[in-house]
Each structure stands twice: as C-alpha cells, then as structure tokens.
Amino acid sequence: MKDYGALQKLERLAERVEEKVRLLEEENTALKNQLLVYQKQLSDQGAALEDFKNQIKISKIVRNIPVENKASAELKGRIDDYIKEIDKIITYLSD
C-alpha cells in the first residue's frame, strides 16, 4: 500500500509540474508577442526620429539661405511650406 500512495503522490506532483510548464509556455508566448510589438514600435520611432533629424537639417539649411532678393525669399517660403506639408504627412502616417 505504501507504494500505491507514493505513486499517487508522484502522479499529482507530475500533474502540477505539467500545469506549471503549460502556464510558463503560455506566458513565454505572450511575452514573445509583446516583444514583437515593442520591437515594431521601436523601429517606427527610430524611423520617425530619422525623419525629424532630416527635418532639422532642412530647417537649418533654410535658415542659412540669405534673403537678399525676392527670389530667395520666395524659395525660402516654398521650402518652409514643403516642410510643413511633410510634417502633416508624417503625423498622418504615424496615426
């Protein structure tokens, strides 16, 4: 009879271990999925950061354009308008 009780105890223990393994596997899958989401967000934010860096470079170039005549002022205005439009598009695509 001792062997039968020990066997039942081992079976219950094995069931508990199997259940914990199943729960850990589910948690692992959920964490992997969450990691993929975070990696995608990080990638998107990296791309947005590069866009903003380029925008800053363009803004610096625009600010350094000498406004000596009407054509230069008009060019500067157009570039500013393009930057604003690009900002709108980036905002739209980010949503």
Side-chain angles (χ1 to χ4, degrees):
M1 283 293 177
K2 288 182 183 180
D3 291 335
Y4 182 72
L7 181 60
Q8 283 183 328
K9 188 176 179 179
L10 284 174
E11 285 177 348
R12 285 192 304 269
L13 184 60
E15 288 173 1
R16 287 177 50 202
V17 168
E18 286 175 357
E19 179 65 16
K20 286 191 178 196
V21 167
R22 185 186 65 78
L23 290 173
L24 288 172
E25 286 173 344
E26 288 176 4
E27 182 182 13
N28 188 27
T29 300
L31 289 171
K32 283 180 180 179
N33 291 336
Q34 190 175 20
L35 177 61
L36 290 174
V37 169
Y38 289 148
Q39 286 174 333
K40 173 75 170 103
Q41 288 175 345
L42 183 61
S43 174
D44 292 345
Q45 288 175 348
L49 179 61
E50 286 302 314
D51 289 339
F52 288 126
K53 284 180 181 178
N54 288 334
Q55 178 185 344
I56 290 169
K57 288 177 185 176
I58 292 171
S59 293
K60 287 179 181 179
I61 291 169
V62 169
R63 275 187 248 124
N64 290 331
I65 294 175
V67 183
E68 296 175 6
N69 58 37
K70 187 176 179 179
S72 293
E74 185 179 321
L75 176 61
K76 186 174 180 178
R78 278 196 210 160
I79 292 174
D80 283 338
D81 291 341
Y82 291 145
I83 290 172
K84 289 176 187 174
E85 192 64 31
I86 290 169
D87 284 341
K88 289 178 188 177
I89 292 170
I90 289 171
T91 302
Y92 175 76
L93 292 176
S94 295
D95 295 339

